[in-house]
Amino acid sequence: SQQGEEDPQALSIQEGENATMNCSYKTSINNLQWYRQNSGRGLVHLILIRSNEREKHSGRLRVTLDTSKKSSSLLITASRAADTASYFCATQSNSGGSNYKLTFGKGTLLTVNP
Amino acid sequence: DAGVTQSPTHLIKTRGQQVTLRCSPKSGHDTVSWYQQALGQGPQFIFQYYEEEERQRGNFPDRFSGHQFPNYSSELNVNALLLGDSALYLCASSLLGYSNQPQHFGDGTRLSIL
């Protein structure tokens, strides 16, 4: 079953604009990760935020985590056409005997128009 | 530094047949996880292998089985294929014992069932 829900399901913006995607999840987590997927290919890891962190930056990416609301957001600043892809949030928890299983949401399809 | 490699890239089978997919983990990694991604959905965890044993399993029937070899590479076997097994199958590797780390994904095997 899916742990997370991304919002919106699809987002279309112009090059240079910022893109914000949100993710909500249901259970307690060890960390939350964001991945990018280009057109049915493999997943590329973007950023990992631990449960005791509130904000993290990596280049043009900014991720926030609110464990009290069980939600996260991914901000991509100054978007480029090459950012066009599906973006997934995934959570890892310490329950169930393994802390490496990733539980994914359904993803946000981002289209950046040149 | 070789990343995660999967073979074959595409496969077409008919209902009732059996299929084997292969995965070589990233150099230095000892844990392999398999995910199924249906069209338009997020990846769903199938199972995880470490030290040649299945450590955790998702909500998949026994038709799905796996194996890990002493060199850490892994196979995913699916018996009695159904139309609903059509999906992108992703392999991910990591290093057990290190929490809060990303998983490294291969480009997947696209399985089509006719």
Side-chain angles (χ1 to χ4, degrees), chain A residues 9 25 56 73 86 91 99 104:
Chain A
Q9 291 186 332
Y25 57 92
K56 205 160 182 181
S73 68
S86 291
T91 55
N99 61 346
F104 286 85

Side-chain angles (χ1 to χ4, degrees), chain B residues 30-86:
Chain B
D30 58 8
T31 302
V32 172
S33 301
W34 287 92
Y35 294 82
Q36 180 196 65
Q37 186 179 21
L39 201 61
Q41 301 293 314
Q44 297 253 12
F45 175 77
I46 303 175
F47 42 53
Q48 181 183 84
Y49 276 83
Y50 170 69
E51 289 190 336
E52 303 178 47
E53 289 188 8
E54 183 183 293
R55 293 289 168 146
Q56 191 179 19
R57 189 179 184 90
N59 189 25
F60 280 81
D62 292 345
R63 298 187 298 108
F64 289 77
S65 64
H67 189 78
Q68 186 180 34
F69 299 93
N71 66 353
Y72 307 119
S73 66
S74 176
E75 288 182 349
L76 164 65
N77 301 293
V78 187
N79 295 322
L81 287 166
L82 304 173
L83 293 178
D85 295 332
S86 293

Side-chain angles (χ1 to χ4, degrees), chain A residues 1-2 30-31 33 35 37 40-43 45 48 50 88 92 95-102 104-106, chain B residues 35 37 40-45 48 56 88 90 94-103 105-108 110:
Chain A
S1 61
Q2 307 281 160
N30 195 38
N31 64 66
Q33 304 178 31
Y35 287 82
Q37 185 176 41
R41 292 180 61 86
L43 297 163
H45 178 262
L48 181 153
R50 303 181 186 195
F88 294 91
Q92 278 185 334
S95 63
S98 169
N99 61 346
Y100 299 102
K101 165 189 170 182
L102 287 173
F104 286 85
K106 293 184 179 180
Chain B
Y35 294 82
Q37 186 179 21
Q41 301 293 314
Q44 297 253 12
F45 175 77
Q48 181 183 84
Q56 191 179 19
L88 180 67
L90 295 162
S94 56
L95 192 60
L96 199 76
Y98 289 84
S99 61
N100 292 314
Q101 59 165 313
Q103 292 192 8
F105 283 83
D107 278 340
R110 173 73 61 186

Side-chain angles (χ1 to χ4, degrees), chain A residues 32-35 45-49 56-58 61-63 74:
Chain A
L32 185 144
Q33 304 178 31
W34 286 90
Y35 287 82
H45 178 262
L46 296 176
I47 198 164
L48 181 153
I49 186 166
K56 205 160 182 181
H57 298 255
S58 176
L61 305 180
R62 172 179 170 257
V63 167
L74 170 67

